[in-house]
Amino acid sequence: MAWNRAEIEIHRHENGLWMWSTEWNCDNGGGGYRVGAKWGKFAETREDALFYAACEIEGTLRDRPGKEAVLILDWLTSLKINPKALS
């Protein structure tokens, strides 16, 4: 079986705010959830939602020494620099 190393989903809620979800799989660990209002994760803009999602995964993986975690952290840094990269 194969999984994405990391995934961010962003959707617009019916109230106009943006919601996000995160998922990661690396170095024999993983976690995540699907996007939904029940999580209470809302942002004013799509870019803000992406930033918050990236920070969420970073906070989880920051202390993981594995090479897959490093690859995900590098990807997150690139998304924070260029939020349009996630389309």
Side-chain angles (χ1 to χ4, degrees), residues 19-50:
M19 303 178 294
W20 70 90
S21 68
T22 63
E23 184 177 342
W24 60 273
N25 298 288
C26 71
D27 306 315
N28 298 319
Y33 56 92
R34 289 287 164 223
V35 73
K38 69 180 181 179
W39 304 116
K41 298 183 184 250
F42 294 100
E44 292 286 327
T45 67
R46 181 184 183 280
E47 289 77 16
D48 285 347
L50 177 58

